[in-house]
Amino acid sequence: MATAAASHSHRGAGRLLQRVTGIAVQAVKVAGMAVISLALIGRSALLFIRFDVKTAVSIVLYGVLSWLCGAGKVALCTLTAALVGLAVLLHDMPTDNAGHRAGGHGFGSALQENTVEALQALLARSSPGPLPELAYVEFDIHETRDGELLVFHDDTLARALPAGPGINTAPEASLLAQGLDARRAPLSALTAAQVLSFHLGGRVGCHVPTLEQYLRVCLEAGLRHSIAVEIKGLRTDAGRQKLLELLQRYIKQSEGARSGRGEGKLYAHFGPAAVIAFPWAWAAAMGEFGTRENGHWARAFAAAGIPVKSCVLHSLSLTYGF
């Protein structure tokens, strides 16, 4: 009897410790995301500079309050309100997502990240019923030297190529003959054909997919979740326009397909499809914040109905602000 009571007590203590540990881990994650989010907001500060009536009223009100209550107190209250507001915005975001890099993990597993095989496996898992841990399907894109948009995370192929001789020896030698190191050359310096000649993880037939191919797989599988295309590298106006047109077409076709099956589970911040990026990556791809080039592409994506969001803080639009 006493042994059973002790065992029950130990199990209760274990569950309590597990719960406390889980809460602590979540708190650390949220704190880290808050710090990063503040940095991202600061980096894209030009998004919030608007010369309108609301801005003028806010400046006047802040000045009056500073005069009446003291600038220090008002600044402290403003910072506190900003942190509370940020915590609320972060609470609305998923902390774990099974759709990250299309559900793949590195290049040593059976399902390699950002590959068609990983995407198809993820879609197959979600087709019988909703996956609670799947918030949206996320993948990354780079533009190649000849203007193709490829789905890949890193700037180079190094992590995807096993060391030593193997199936990739021939394409590596071909690039080397052209003065290019397959493990160091950025994707922007390679053509699509050169990149696609490599077998990811040394697995025969597993290649870097194109964005167009990826979107087609999503449509054919009847994906009912949102997709998020993270910009890693865009170099040309042609590449930017191609991204816009592919996503615009995908949104139209996916909405038509969903109308016959119900709306599905779309992530509120993204809708059917969104572009996501770190602010510095968006500025590098579309022009620095506040420039005419950046404004042109911000308006173009907004007109096409494609949300552009910060990777870490999904409430932050990189074309408008909050």
Side-chain angles (χ1 to χ4, degrees), residues 88-102:
V88 171
L89 294 176
L90 287 171
H91 179 73
D92 187 41
M93 289 174 51
T95 53
D96 296 299
N97 177 29
H100 181 61
R101 299 186 192 176

Side-chain angles (χ1 to χ4, degrees), residues 10-77:
H10 284 310
R11 285 197 299 270
R15 286 195 295 269
L16 178 61
L17 179 62
Q18 187 177 17
R19 186 174 179 183
V20 170
T21 302
I23 292 173
V25 169
Q26 286 295 97
V28 170
K29 283 184 178 180
V30 170
M33 289 175 69
V35 172
I36 295 171
S37 298
L38 286 172
L40 297 186
I41 292 170
R43 173 63 183 78
S44 50
L46 287 176
L47 286 169
F48 308 97
I49 300 176
R50 304 187 187 106
F51 298 101
D52 53 18
V53 174
K54 185 178 179 181
T55 302
V57 170
S58 298
I59 293 173
V60 171
L61 182 60
Y62 195 89
V64 171
L65 287 174
S66 298
W67 178 63
L68 292 174
C69 306
K73 290 181 180 178
V74 173
L76 180 61
C77 290

Side-chain angles (χ1 to χ4, degrees), residues 182-307:
R183 298 173 187 275
R184 295 184 179 180
L187 295 188
S188 60
L190 306 177
T191 66
Q194 288 171 332
V195 176
L196 269 58
S197 68
F198 289 91
H199 301 260
L200 301 179
R203 294 183 58 198
V204 178
C206 188
H207 302 285
V208 174
T210 66
L211 174 59
E212 191 168 7
Q213 179 185 7
Y214 231 59
L215 297 178
R216 185 166 61 248
V217 171
C218 291
L219 287 170
E220 290 173 352
L223 176 64
R224 299 174 68 186
H225 288 74
S226 304
I227 65 169
V229 182
E230 182 173 349
I231 293 178
K232 291 297 184 181
L234 275 180
R235 303 166 38 254
T236 67
D237 282 348
R240 297 169 190 120
Q241 187 64 33
K242 185 171 186 176
L243 172 61
L244 187 151
E245 291 176 357
L246 284 174
L247 289 183
Q248 192 174 29
R249 186 171 68 197
Y250 173 83
I251 290 172
K252 184 176 181 180
Q253 292 175 337
S254 66
E255 285 177 344
R258 270 199 312 276
S259 63
R261 304 190 307 269
E263 282 301 304
K265 187 178 180 182
L266 296 180
Y267 182 51
H269 292 295
F270 294 166
V275 170
I276 62 175
F278 288 102
W280 52 84
W282 173 258
M286 302 291 177
E288 188 56 69
F289 291 107
T291 63
R292 181 176 298 179
E293 182 186 21
N294 187 283
H296 166 76
W297 288 109
R299 289 189 296 273
F301 276 84
I306 303 169

Side-chain angles (χ1 to χ4, degrees), residues 172 175-176 179-186 190:
E172 280 196 67
L175 277 189
L176 195 59
L180 293 167
D181 185 334
R183 298 173 187 275
R184 295 184 179 180
L190 306 177

Side-chain angles (χ1 to χ4, degrees), residues 80-155:
T80 302
L83 290 173
V84 171
L86 190 59
V88 171
L89 294 176
L90 287 171
H91 179 73
D92 187 41
M93 289 174 51
T95 53
D96 296 299
N97 177 29
H100 181 61
R101 299 186 192 176
H105 305 282
F107 294 98
S109 62
L111 296 176
Q112 303 182 81
E113 65 182 52
N114 281 330
T115 57
V116 168
E117 292 80 2
L119 176 62
Q120 289 173 331
L122 177 67
L123 297 180
R125 286 169 56 207
S126 63
S127 61
L131 285 174
E133 67 274 22
L134 176 58
Y136 52 88
V137 178
E138 180 268 351
F139 46 91
D140 314 273
I141 63 163
H142 282 273
E143 183 182 359
T144 61
R145 192 177 77 206
D146 54 346
E148 185 60 85
L149 300 181
L150 299 184
V151 178
F152 198 74
H153 179 271
D154 297 2
D155 292 333

